[in-house]
Amino acid sequence: MIEKRFFGNVETDKEVSLFTLKSKNGMKVEICNYGAAVVSIFVPDKNGKSENVVLGYDSAQGYEKCSSYFGAIVGRYGNRIGKGIFVLDGKNYQLDVNDGENHLHGGKFGFNKRIWDAEPIQTDTGQSLKLTLIDNNGEMGYAGTVKLDVIYTLSEENELIIDYLGETDETTILNPTHHSYFNLSGDLTKNILDHHLMLNADYITYVDKGFITTGELNKVENTPFDFRNLSRIGENINSDNQQIKYGLGYDHNWVINNWDKTIKKVGELYEPVSGRFMEIFTDQPGIQFYSGNFLNGEQIGKNGIACNYRTGLCLETQHFPDSPNKPSFPSVIINPGEQYVQKTIYKFSTK
Ligand code: BGC
């Protein structure tokens, strides 16, 4: 049975629910239908101690106030679009501008700020929650009405599987992603610098000082961005490197090697003290690694714990930032009659 409970009211009177998925192996995932946000992920450490490994809030109101996208599904366009401007089929679009002069994560009333329909489902794989959003024509400046289903499944293999299915009634762009801040230590007061990360990518997309991609693919070799082998995040995060300075740490898109639209392992995250290990699988061409550089303790998370600088890191599977303005990047266009699909898996274990 998938448990459902009251999680608070938003916009003064709209009720939000919290759903709890459980696996037989001792994992537990809580998800609310405000922003389709993952609120907690309980995972055993190497001694069997189960702790929550993501930043989140105690109630729906926390998510309503949040400007850091905790655990949410972000969209229509995850990541940035320069000045919020692009041309599609000869038409100029001006999206909501909510990050300096740019558009970020779907604008100020993006998918993370909506109440989604929620339907718990029991499948052979495990317990699932299907969340559905209708994003109307013109919202945040986008063309066409988009319907997006996001299905979270907690499998008996301790995987959090995220399936996305989208459609549109007009040609538009769509690039949703998931925005959990992971801290595998289970101690959310600790920063993530001692985590070890692997990303299967020979290139990243460099950014300018406004965080907009230059359009080039740049080699990670001999740079602080080389995570081709499991490496400690804190090792080079403060290097004297222009891209590190522009990103205020790590806040870049890694270009997945040999992308062919099929699902494959793209990364690993390991926290040596707890022994918790997470593998990331996706069919997306890119992954944004964001090291929580904008967290500053103003976000008061679960149990009254302040979410301090770099106490969580995001691994957002997606298309490359500013793709609508970068013709050489894989396309994010979706036409009527086509289906948008994405599958991403975060798989937990210990070692
Ligand atoms: C982006 C950061 C941004 C953050 C907002 C991340 O996905 O890469 O630049 O500040 O989201 O919480």
Side-chain angles (χ1 to χ4, degrees), residues 193-210:
L193 298 184
D194 288 332
H195 283 53
H196 293 230
L197 178 68
M198 184 282 281
L199 292 169
N200 182 24
D202 294 341
Y203 294 86
I204 65 165
T205 49
Y206 275 9
V207 290
D208 63 22
K209 55 177 179 301

Side-chain angles (χ1 to χ4, degrees), residues 292-303:
N293 312 311
F294 291 109
L295 296 173
N296 58 10
E298 278 173 19
Q299 305 84 352
I300 306 299
K302 276 186 289 252
N303 306 316

Side-chain angles (χ1 to χ4, degrees), residues 104-211:
L104 172 67
H105 292 336
K108 68 171 158 308
F109 191 56
F111 292 1
N112 61 308
K113 294 289 174 197
R114 315 279 180 84
I115 300 178
W116 297 52
D117 286 335
E119 184 193 345
I121 313 170
Q122 181 75 53
T123 68
D124 290 344
T125 318
Q127 297 191 325
S128 300
L129 184 70
K130 180 179 172 188
L131 293 140
T132 302
L133 183 73
I134 307 286
D135 187 37
N136 289 324
N137 186 5
E139 283 274 12
M140 298 292 107
Y142 290 100
T145 295
V146 162
K147 176 172 177 263
L148 182 66
D149 290 329
V150 169
I151 304 161
Y152 287 106
T153 302
L154 177 58
S155 81
E156 297 304 348
E157 276 76 54
N158 283 357
E159 300 157 311
L160 178 62
I161 306 170
I162 313 178
D163 284 295
Y164 302 67
L165 291 172
E167 57 188 45
T168 182
D169 63 356
E170 250 184 75
T171 299
T172 190
I173 58 170
L174 180 59
N175 180 37
T177 187
H178 176 70
H179 212 281
S180 273
Y181 287 74
F182 296 100
N183 184 331
L184 298 185
S185 75
D187 178 352
L188 304 182
T189 65
K190 269 194 187 162
N191 69 40
I192 48 75
L193 298 184
D194 288 332
H195 283 53
H196 293 230
L197 178 68
M198 184 282 281
L199 292 169
N200 182 24
D202 294 341
Y203 294 86
I204 65 165
T205 49
Y206 275 9
V207 290
D208 63 22
K209 55 177 179 301
F211 286 86

Side-chain angles (χ1 to χ4, degrees), residues 297-313:
E298 278 173 19
Q299 305 84 352
I300 306 299
K302 276 186 289 252
N303 306 316
I305 296 174
C307 301
N308 286 319
Y309 187 49
R310 296 182 173 160
T311 50
L313 69 97

Side-chain angles (χ1 to χ4, degrees), residues 256-264 283-284:
I256 303 303
N257 287 340
N258 309 316
W259 177 60
D260 61 4
K261 302 188 183 176
T262 64
I263 186 149
K264 46 172 82 109
D283 53 14
Q284 294 298 290

